[in-house]
Amino acid sequence: MRYANTHKDETRKKLLASSRAIAKKGGFNSTGVDALMSSIGLTGGAFYSHFPSKQALFEALIEEEMQNSSDMLAGGEDSPDNHVAKCLRDYLSTFHAMHPEVGCVLPTLGAEIARAGPEVRATVERALKHTQKSWSARVGDPDAAWALIAQCVGALVLARAVESDKTRKEILASSRRFLDNAQMKDLNKKA
Amino acid sequence: MRYANTHKDETRKKLLASSRAIAKKGGFNSTGVDALMSSIGLTGGAFYSHFPSKQALFEALIEEEMQNSSDMLAGGEDSPDNHVAKCLRDYLSTFHAMHPEVGCVLPTLGAEIARAGPEVRATVERALKHTQKSWSARVGDPDAAWALIAQCVGALVLARAVESDKTRKEILASSRRFLDNAQMKDLNKKA
DNA sequence: GTCTATATCTAGATAGAC
DNA sequence: GTCTATCTAGATATAGAC
């Protein structure tokens, strides 16, 4: 063979990594296969050795993204008591708002997910429920767990939709303070 | 003239109304000018008698949408004390989640707004601040006002991103209960 | 596995007839 | 103001050479 055993895997990994960033920044539909491939130094035609269609890439991409987010947010058994508070602080940061390419998929691709097929949405649902369950155990309130997730996603959407830095920061800070004031098991311990 | 004085205005109105629904349902970028025009019984070429570009339509559309939402959510001086609670109940309804075409723009087009120019985002910012100010006065807490808006938008994104009706309803109900339990001036009065 | 070339389709936008 | 026809550009996807 002209290429090493690991070559295909590595290309696929690079393609996924690069596509995730590009799609989160500019939208998935709005980005062409050529652009995705040239971002890893290849041409458009080579794409179809890795995925049967652009849609298949979307599915793989969302699965990977949700897996990552959900693992990070849910946290392990060894996570500190203030794990949720830490997640909220990071999620609701200016850095996150300013860098969609390395952030959560939901604020950027949520609408495209909503329009996607049942398999994609089932993947998203599984991951969300995983986070919600974990947070529910930590904060001692299943409703609050869903509400925290919603609050985070919504605040990011708003923060990115406004024009001024001032308002952006205000939205994020207000969300953080609001959640800090909510009485939940571990939220009031210092992050 | 071959067309009545009011003809152009009416066509423009119909175009805007139809485009709003279509864009909120399927995304703005993903929908072509031909589709928008044929939805009001015209052909693509006629579009450019009403807007200089597709982007100009987007700007007009977002402005109109945000104006409507913001007027509705902010409410007049004669609004009842439980105005905010009523808004939350309607916003966080299954009906809203199932009918993006007649709902708020932010959950569906928030990401596209984030990628748009400064003018569009400034419009959005103005409208959001209007709602926030009004709600802040009503609930007596500026942070809570931003948080409520974020919670609403985020919950809708999540509700539409999941696959099962059960989880969708759970997310919306949890958000409603969480906000009901938050102690704010008018939130605990029956909606 | 990747390349170039290409087929096919759809997009935004313009020109000129009516 | 709207139509048809068309230009140009970009998209997804395939074919065959290397």
Side-chain angles (χ1 to χ4, degrees):
Chain A
M1 57 187 66
R2 292 179 56 199
Y3 296 91
N5 278 330
T6 58
H7 182 79
K8 185 165 182 177
D9 271 7
E10 280 170 17
T11 304
R12 186 191 155 101
K13 256 179 213 151
K14 275 198 284 185
L15 174 56
L16 270 167
S18 190
S19 298
R20 281 167 26 180
I22 295 174
K24 285 192 286 184
K25 192 169 179 73
F28 185 78
N29 253 322
S30 323
T31 314
V33 170
D34 278 12
L36 296 175
M37 292 305 282
S38 74
S39 77
I40 57 166
L42 299 179
T43 55
F47 175 83
Y48 298 90
S49 298
H50 300 279
F51 292 97
S53 69
K54 200 194 170 194
Q55 185 56 31
L57 169 65
F58 184 67
E59 289 165 21
L61 196 143
I62 296 297
E63 173 144 24
E64 230 191 39
E65 278 288 322
M66 291 304 297
Q67 189 76 51
N68 287 353
S69 292
S70 142
D71 285 351
M72 189 188 297
L73 296 173
E77 298 210 352
D78 56 338
S79 300
D81 277 355
N82 62 2
H83 171 72
V84 175
K86 270 184 172 165
C87 288
L88 295 178
R89 195 194 47 188
D90 287 349
Y91 200 105
L92 297 170
S93 67
T94 304
F95 180 87
H96 189 189
M98 300 294 277
H99 295 94
E101 69 276 9
V102 292
C104 177
V105 255
L106 291 169
T108 35
L109 301 183
E112 294 190 59
I113 291 167
R115 294 173 204 125
E119 315 82 15
V120 176
R121 295 210 313 280
T123 302
V124 171
E125 179 169 344
R126 248 191 315 277
L128 281 175
K129 283 171 99 166
H130 179 222
T131 302
Q132 185 266 344
K133 248 187 164 171
S134 162
W135 283 18
S136 175
R138 291 171 192 277
V139 303
D141 178 351
D143 288 338
W146 276 125
L148 294 177
I149 302 174
Q151 177 99 211
C152 282
V153 172
L156 260 282
V157 171
L158 296 184
R160 292 188 182 137
V162 298
E163 166 60 10
S164 75
D165 279 336
K166 188 164 166 289
T167 306
R168 190 187 341 280
K169 286 190 163 73
E170 192 183 324
I171 292 167
L172 295 171
S174 286
S175 265
R176 287 195 304 266
R177 282 194 296 265
F178 179 79
L179 295 179
D180 274 345
N181 290 336
Q183 290 90 5
M184 282 166 287
K185 206 160 90 185
D186 85 342
L187 271 180
N188 290 330
K189 297 173 187 159
K190 260 217 187 81
Chain B
M1 59 187 64
R2 293 180 54 202
Y3 295 89
N5 278 332
T6 59
H7 182 79
K8 186 166 183 176
D9 270 8
E10 280 171 16
T11 303
R12 188 191 153 101
K13 256 179 211 152
K14 274 197 285 183
L15 175 56
L16 270 167
S18 189
S19 297
R20 282 167 29 181
I22 294 175
K24 287 193 285 183
K25 191 169 179 73
F28 184 78
N29 252 322
S30 322
T31 313
V33 170
D34 278 12
L36 296 176
M37 292 305 283
S38 74
S39 79
I40 57 165
L42 299 177
T43 56
F47 175 83
Y48 297 90
S49 298
H50 299 278
F51 292 96
S53 68
K54 199 192 169 195
Q55 186 56 30
L57 169 65
F58 184 67
E59 289 165 21
L61 195 144
I62 296 297
E63 173 144 25
E64 231 192 39
E65 278 288 322
M66 291 304 297
Q67 189 76 51
N68 286 354
S69 291
S70 142
D71 285 351
M72 189 187 298
L73 296 173
E77 298 210 352
D78 55 338
S79 301
D81 278 355
N82 62 2
H83 172 72
V84 175
K86 268 184 174 166
C87 287
L88 295 178
R89 196 193 47 186
D90 286 348
Y91 200 105
L92 296 169
S93 67
T94 303
F95 180 87
H96 189 189
M98 299 295 277
H99 295 94
E101 69 277 8
V102 292
C104 176
V105 254
L106 291 168
T108 35
L109 300 183
E112 293 189 60
I113 290 167
R115 294 174 203 124
E119 315 83 16
V120 176
R121 295 211 312 281
T123 303
V124 170
E125 179 170 343
R126 248 191 316 277
L128 281 175
K129 283 170 100 166
H130 180 223
T131 302
Q132 186 265 344
K133 248 188 166 173
S134 162
W135 283 18
S136 176
R138 292 171 191 277
V139 303
D141 177 353
D143 289 340
W146 276 125
L148 294 178
I149 302 175
Q151 177 98 212
C152 281
V153 172
L156 260 282
V157 172
L158 296 184
R160 291 184 182 140
V162 297
E163 166 60 10
S164 75
D165 280 337
K166 189 164 165 290
T167 306
R168 189 182 348 276
K169 288 191 162 75
E170 193 183 324
I171 292 168
L172 296 171
S174 286
S175 266
R176 287 195 304 265
R177 281 194 296 265
F178 178 79
L179 295 179
D180 274 344
N181 290 338
Q183 290 91 4
M184 281 165 287
K185 207 160 93 186
D186 85 343
L187 270 179
N188 290 327
K189 297 172 187 161
K190 257 217 188 79

